[in-house]
Amino acid sequence: MIEIADPRGMRAWSRDRRRAARRVGFVPTMGYLHEGHLRLIDRARRASDDVVVSVFVNPLQFGPAEDFSRYPRDLPRDRSLASARRTDCLFVPAPPAVYPELPVVRVLPGSLGDHLCGPWRPGHFEGVLTVVAKLFHLVEPDVAVFGRKDAQQALMIRRMVADLDFPVEIVVAPTVRETDGLALSSRNAYLTAEERRAAAALSRGLAAAHDGFKQGATAVADVVGEVRHVVEREPLLRLEYVEAVDPNTLAPVTLVAGDTLLALAARAGATRLIDNIVLGDGLAGDDRLDRP
Ligand code: AMP
């Protein structure tokens, strides 16, 4: 595995691979890698010849009161995990290399930022889309893989690529979970043992809603009520939102008809956790959610 910090070096490496008729796959991350990230690497490997993984904690996507400075970082560990998963190139640019100046021109999520996490994290998705656009220009991948755990983000990236003609194929891979259902996240490292135990109620709530749906509940009020019922029994969790939305537009729906994205965010102490499932046909498919 080669490690590159210089953005121009990254682009040169990638162009070189493509000149050799190699298909370049890309997995952008903020590091502190876990099995969720590693499955994206596996997925990228299946879709390409050479896999680039970036580790970059993007300051632009953190609000002033958020956890940028204490976000978990462990590059030596990331290095060995990525390498063991047969990553070809680890791209680890320093913030000043990515942002010699604060970008004035940015990528906005438009109406996709009006729902779910958007109102709770002002400027967050603008920061995400802007850095992903920059990373796409630096890595020039043929295919890039994102996790469905961040369904809103994945949808926005698909739309950015479609709307702005980025020459890259986007693959969205399933959420990887702990055995009790908690979605893997670098932020799980913040949780105390008690919070960690309580956090399992998030996926339990989504599973209860899924059961309700399978038994015939289609009114969103009922489906959302199932989630609330489970999560609100945990005093260590504070729900920010539970919403059922159209997986392509993120507009709220009142009836579950066709694929519906059921998404939530909650706090366990100071730690913000998100999770989602798809109700409807999308549950079976790997890359089917939010394909425009
Ligand atoms: P992050 O490092 O949290 O910015 O995540 C980098 C990529 O990994 C994003 O595409 C995430 O959606 C994806 N990811 C994070 N957690 C998971 C998970 N539990 N399952 C699948 N993908 C994940």
Side-chain angles (χ1 to χ4, degrees):
M1 183 178 80
I2 184 176
E3 189 168 316
I4 297 177
D6 172 38
R8 279 165 314 178
M10 180 66 249
R11 187 182 279 142
W13 185 88
S14 186
R15 287 193 175 174
D16 187 59
R17 301 320 298 149
R18 292 176 59 177
R19 257 196 307 275
R22 309 276 291 176
R23 194 170 146 83
V24 174
F26 180 38
V27 179
T29 82
M30 297 208 298
Y32 212 69
L33 300 182
H34 52 64
E35 186 62 24
H37 298 116
L38 300 177
R39 298 275 181 88
L40 303 188
I41 297 175
D42 296 344
R43 185 70 186 81
R45 174 147 299 291
R46 292 208 301 278
S48 61
D49 301 306
D50 290 304
V51 175
V52 179
V53 175
S54 63
V55 170
F56 181 65
V57 184
N58 172 35
L60 214 61
Q61 71 188 66
F62 288 80
E66 293 185 355
D67 55 344
F68 173 69
S69 55
R70 68 183 195 108
Y71 194 84
R73 293 164 169 89
D74 188 343
L75 186 55
R77 185 168 160 275
D78 289 347
R79 207 174 264 142
S80 68
L81 287 171
S83 162
R85 226 47 177 240
R86 298 196 301 128
T87 297
D88 297 285
C89 174
L90 194 66
F91 180 40
V92 284
V98 175
Y99 300 118
E101 288 186 78
L102 209 57
V104 174
V105 176
R106 302 183 185 200
V107 183
L108 299 178
S111 59
L112 298 177
D114 294 344
H115 311 286
L116 307 182
C117 288
W120 292 89
R121 301 189 72 186
H124 167 68
F125 288 118
E126 173 182 327
V128 169
L129 292 177
T130 302
V131 82
V132 171
K134 285 170 70 78
L135 291 169
F136 281 176
H137 289 315
L138 297 176
V139 176
E140 297 183 339
D142 297 288
V143 55
V145 185
F146 294 85
R148 186 173 296 164
K149 202 225 97 191
D150 300 272
Q152 185 171 19
Q153 167 179 291
L155 173 63
M156 286 177 182
I157 289 163
R158 275 199 196 287
R159 281 308 297 244
M160 175 179 82
V161 161
D163 291 352
L164 303 181
D165 296 306
F166 280 72
V168 56
E169 179 194 336
I170 301 299
V171 170
V172 180
T175 301
V176 179
R177 300 176 178 282
E178 302 278 9
T179 46
D180 67 357
L182 178 67
L184 297 191
S185 164
S186 307
R187 288 192 169 98
N188 292 351
Y190 296 145
L191 300 173
T192 65
E194 273 300 279
E195 288 166 351
R196 167 64 190 82
R197 189 199 46 73
L202 300 177
S203 58
R204 267 209 318 278
L206 292 173
H210 184 230
D211 288 346
F213 169 70
K214 278 194 303 198
Q215 284 156 28
T218 53
V220 161
D222 295 338
V223 169
V224 164
E226 296 272 9
V227 183
R228 288 195 174 279
H229 180 69
V230 174
V231 175
E232 286 170 359
R233 275 205 308 250
E234 274 299 343
L236 293 181
L237 297 180
R238 216 167 55 254
L239 269 173
E240 284 188 350
Y241 69 79
V242 190
E243 281 176 50
V245 298
D246 179 305
N248 294 307
T249 64
L250 302 184
V253 297
T254 51
L255 268 186
V256 182
D259 282 356
T260 299
L261 176 66
L262 182 63
L264 60 77
R267 297 261 176 189
T271 305
R272 190 170 188 277
L273 301 171
I274 59 172
D275 200 352
N276 69 82
I277 57 166
V278 182
L279 301 175
D281 300 339
L283 272 175
D286 177 358
D287 297 337
R288 292 169 57 195
L289 170 68
D290 63 33
R291 202 180 274 288

